[in-house]
Amino acid sequence: MTTPTRVLLLNSSILGDNGQSRGLAAHFRAQAERRGGVTITERDLVSDALPHLDGAELGSWMIEPAERDAAQRELAARSETLLEEFFAHDVIVLAAPLYNLGIPSQLKAWFDRVLRAGRTFRYTENGPQGLVEGKRALVLAARGGQYAGTPLDSQTPHLTHMLGLMGIGDVEFVYAEGLAMGDEARESALGEAHQAIDALVDRL
Ligand SMILES: Cc1cc2nc3c(=O)[nH]c(=O)nc-3n(C[C@H](O)[C@H](O)[C@H](O)COP(=O)(O)O)c2cc1C
């Protein structure tokens, strides 16, 4: 029997059940489970929100575990838990709304816990080097307007570079764009995105 592909699915829409990226994620999940051979862990970065990374939490990472006090242990555990979860999966699926031309701050807060020097990348004399091997990422992007392929799409390079910093170079994007541009545009964009997801699921 082959080992199932372990998928970590991260939701970050603030729009609850109306979130279009949550709809894309649900379609992904249903199709992947129908196909089989996967285990899916879902994390909701909104209902289980992380605070902003601050100096105290960052500082806790710099202290040897045995020397941390109780408060520092608690702060350091936040990132450790997310890193363990991250390392334990093969495919990272980011359901990514576009808010104010970027990713939701809840998703950024997750990246702030897993982008860790010495853990997921290291600094070298030639610049940063990713330490993560054997993972790939899928981004299910939901957007009110249309930006993909234009200079206004700062979200795509931001996500690509954050994943790339850790060594995840295999990143595929599915865009559902124009969701705020009328019913016809929305239905057509969601239909195309679902088809693109179906094709990706076949290659999991
Ligand atoms: C706070 C907020 C900011 C938004 N900013 C943008 C934006 O800058 N550009 C855009 O095209 N759409 C923007 N939208 C529309 C969202 O991209 C659209 O609603 C999309 O469906 C969001 O994903 P979600 O439904 O999964 O939350 C914004 C929506 C919200 C709620």
Side-chain angles (χ1 to χ4, degrees), residues 2-192:
T2 50
T3 321
T5 303
R6 298 161 303 175
V7 176
L8 176 60
L9 175 55
L10 299 172
N11 274 303
S12 57
S13 171
I14 61 173
L15 302 179
D17 289 342
N18 295 323
Q20 299 287 1
S21 61
R22 287 181 191 274
L24 298 178
H27 182 76
F28 171 88
R29 182 173 193 137
Q31 293 296 90
E33 286 176 344
R34 184 170 311 152
R35 175 187 168 272
V38 292
T39 60
I40 300 180
T41 307
E42 208 160 332
R43 176 172 282 279
D44 192 323
L45 295 169
V46 173
S47 63
D48 195 7
L50 297 157
H52 289 305
L53 177 63
D54 63 13
E57 188 177 342
L58 185 78
S60 75
W61 303 345
M62 315 297 169
I63 300 165
E64 285 299 320
E67 287 168 18
R68 289 176 187 145
D69 63 24
Q72 289 162 338
R73 275 199 297 278
E74 199 176 317
L75 286 176
R78 196 176 279 154
S79 166
E80 285 304 326
T81 303
L82 294 171
L83 277 171
E84 269 173 38
E85 182 178 69
F86 172 71
F87 287 133
H89 292 83
D90 311 301
V91 182
I92 312 300
V93 179
L94 304 172
L98 183 74
Y99 294 153
N100 300 321
L101 298 178
I103 59 172
S105 54
Q106 289 88 346
L107 179 55
K108 179 61 164 55
W110 180 83
F111 272 105
D112 286 341
R113 290 351 190 274
V114 299
L115 282 166
R116 289 264 314 263
R119 304 296 300 277
T120 51
F121 72 97
R122 66 187 174 120
Y123 292 108
T124 75
E125 52 197 24
N126 299 317
Q129 184 185 53
L131 298 174
V132 175
E133 287 174 4
K135 286 196 205 308
R136 59 202 179 97
L138 309 177
V139 178
L140 311 178
R143 301 166 166 194
Q146 290 179 328
Y147 301 98
T150 79
L152 276 177
D153 183 7
S154 51
Q155 191 192 49
T156 297
H158 188 207
L159 286 170
T160 303
H161 294 314
M162 285 194 292
L163 293 162
L165 183 62
M166 298 189 281
I168 305 178
D170 185 346
V171 184
E172 291 182 81
F173 285 79
V174 171
Y175 299 101
E177 292 202 305
L179 300 179
M181 295 172 68
D183 293 349
E184 205 176 308
R186 185 179 63 251
E187 292 314 311
S188 150
L190 290 174
E192 282 175 29

